[in-house]
Amino acid sequence: MADVQEMDVDSEEVKLKDDNVVNKTINPTPTTSRPSTTSSITSTNVSGSSTSKKSDGRPWIEKYRPVNFSDIVGNSETVSRLEIFAKEGNVPNIILAGPPGVGKTTTILCLARTMLGPSYKDGILELNASNDRGIDVVRNKIKMFAQQKVTLPKGKQKIIILDEADSMTEGAQQALRRTMEIYSKTTRFALACNTSDKIIEPIQSRCAMVRFGKLSDAQILSKLLAVCEKEDVSFTEDGMEAVVFTAQGDMRQALNNLQSTYSGFGHVNSDNVFKVCDEPHPLLIKDMLQHCVSGNFEDAYKIMAHLWKLGYASEDIISNIFRVCKNESIAEYLKLEYIKEIGYTHMRIVQGVSSLLQMSGLLAKLCQKVAVPDVSQ
Ligand SMILES: Nc1ncnc2c1ncn2[C@@H]1O[C@H](COP(=O)(O)OP(=O)(O)OP(=O)(O)O)[C@@H](O)[C@H]1O
Ligand SMILES: [Mg+2]
C-alpha cells in the first residue's frame, strides 16, 4: 500500500450519509469495532485552528523518526539487545527481518549513531533498494568502503547498511559472502528485509537474525498521542481508534494516516479517518456481520451491495470483514466458523474470483451457520 494515502474529501462516506437503506444501520455514535485500547485517551477540543503552526511541511514519519533507542516503541527485547551491542561495540553482522513500518531502518540508524558517535557520517555506507545493488556495486562500492581507512572510536567498526536487502539479486548476495569475511575485522554488515527467506542461506549463516514483529495497538496509540500533543492535533477517541485500526500494526501507516486526516480535515475523528483511508467503514461491516448472526441475509446483502457500489475492491472488503469479525463479540464457536469461511472466500478472491456473487456467497454461508436445520424433512 502506498505510504501516503490519497485524500478524497467528498468520497463515498459522504454519499453514504444520504443513503437511507444503509444509514439506518449505522450506529449514531461511531466507534470502531476494535476492543478499546483507548482508556488513556483524552479527546481534545474540536474548536480551534485547523492547521498547526508547528507544521513545517515535513512528513511526520521523518519528523518523528526516533533518533535514540529509547524513542523506539515495541519489540523492546530485541531493541534493548541491539542497544547493548551498540554501546559495547563488537556488533555481529545482523539481519533485521519484519513487516513494513515497524522500525527496522530506524533501529539500524540508531545503532550506527550510538556506536559511532561523531564519526557516524564517515563510518557508514547506506545502500537501499533505490541504489543499484547489482554484483558490480558489491564488487566495487562495498569492497572499496570496506577497505577504506576511517578513524573510529576504539573497538568500533564501520557499518555497511543494506536496507531492503530482500530485493538484492542472488548474484549480488553471493558476491557478499567472502567480502563479509575478509573485512570482518573492520566492517560490520546490517541488513534489513521484510522476508528473510529472500536472503540466501550462506548470508543468513554469517549473520545474527533479529526479528521484528508488528506493533501492538497500544504501542501505536502511545506514539500517536505523543505526536498529537506536539502537533496540537484536535482528535476524538474514536478517531484515534480508527487510525490504529487502519494501521494494522504499521507505525508508518499510522503516522501517515494521522497526518493525512489532520491536513485534510483539521480534526481527527473516525469518519474523517475512513474518508482519507478510503476503507469500508468498520461499522457497516459490523452491522453486516450482525445481520448474518441473526440469519438476516436480505439486510446483510444490502450492505454488501452498497459497499460494492461504492467501488471497494473485494480484497479490501474481505480483509476488513476479517478484522472486524476477529474483534466482534460473537459466540466463540460461531466466530471460528465465520473466520474459516472468510478465509476460504479470501482464498478464492486471491485466485481471481472476486465478483459480487462471491461476496454474497460468503454472506449466505455465514447466515447458514446460524440457521436452524429443518428437522421435518
Ligand atoms: N518502533 C517504532 N517506534 C517509533 N516510530 C516508528 C517505529 N517504527 C516505525 N516508526 C515510524 O515509522 C517510520 C518508518 O519506520 P522504518 O523506516 O524504520 O520502517 P521499516 O521497518 O524499515 O519499514 P520497511 O520494511 O518498509 O523499510 C519511521 O520514520 C518512524 O517515524
Ligand atoms: Mg526500512
Side-chain angles (χ1 to χ4, degrees), residues 60-62 64-66 71-73 99-106 164 194 215 223 251-252 255:
W60 290 350
I61 47 163
E62 289 311 328
Y64 296 103
R65 187 189 281 274
D71 304 328
I72 300 172
V73 299
V102 295
K104 299 181 299 298
T105 305
T106 309
E164 291 126 26
N194 294 128
L215 302 175
K223 171 102 182 183
M251 185 70 87
R252 185 192 284 124
L255 288 173

Side-chain angles (χ1 to χ4, degrees), residues 234-250:
S234 84
F235 63 90
T236 60
E237 192 170 320
D238 65 346
M240 277 300 127
E241 275 193 46
V243 177
V244 172
F245 180 84
T246 51
Q248 296 180 67
D250 177 342

Side-chain angles (χ1 to χ4, degrees), residues 56 112 134 142 170 182 233 261 324:
D56 62 358
I142 294 183
E170 194 182 327
I182 294 172
V233 174
T261 310
V324 171

Side-chain angles (χ1 to χ4, degrees), residues 169-323:
T169 60
E170 194 182 327
Q173 292 188 38
Q174 294 285 8
L176 265 186
R177 291 167 63 167
R178 197 71 188 119
T179 315
M180 266 187 175
E181 288 171 350
I182 294 172
Y183 303 102
S184 60
K185 232 178 162 183
T186 55
T187 311
R188 290 291 180 272
F189 285 80
L191 282 69
C193 60
N194 294 128
T195 43
S196 57
D197 53 3
K198 298 235 177 82
I199 309 289
I200 58 167
E201 289 275 337
I203 298 285
Q204 288 195 33
S205 121
R206 284 166 174 77
C207 298
M209 179 73 75
V210 183
R211 295 203 186 270
F212 273 63
K214 283 199 169 190
L215 302 175
S216 73
D217 291 354
Q219 286 160 349
I220 294 202
L221 186 66
S222 70
K223 171 102 182 183
L224 289 178
L225 290 175
V227 172
C228 283
E229 199 183 319
K230 290 212 178 90
E231 292 289 330
D232 211 2
V233 174
S234 84
F235 63 90
T236 60
E237 192 170 320
D238 65 346
M240 277 300 127
E241 275 193 46
V243 177
V244 172
F245 180 84
T246 51
Q248 296 180 67
D250 177 342
M251 185 70 87
R252 185 192 284 124
Q253 182 93 61
L255 288 173
N256 277 332
N257 290 350
L258 179 73
Q259 187 172 18
S260 309
T261 310
Y262 183 56
S263 20
F265 295 92
H267 177 59
V268 181
N269 61 21
S270 75
D271 279 344
N272 291 346
V273 171
F274 288 113
K275 271 180 220 166
V276 167
C277 301
D278 207 14
E279 275 192 28
H281 201 301
L283 275 180
L284 280 179
I285 306 276
K286 189 181 157 99
D287 286 337
M288 189 169 74
L289 279 175
Q290 284 304 339
H291 287 312
C292 292
V293 171
S294 36
N296 183 352
F297 177 79
E298 295 276 304
D299 284 344
Y301 176 76
K302 268 181 201 157
I303 297 180
M304 178 61 85
H306 175 76
L307 291 174
W308 196 260
K309 221 170 85 192
L310 293 177
Y312 289 117
S314 35
E315 283 246 23
D316 283 346
I317 300 177
I318 197 79
S319 68
N320 231 302
I321 295 178
F322 168 65
R323 277 191 278 153

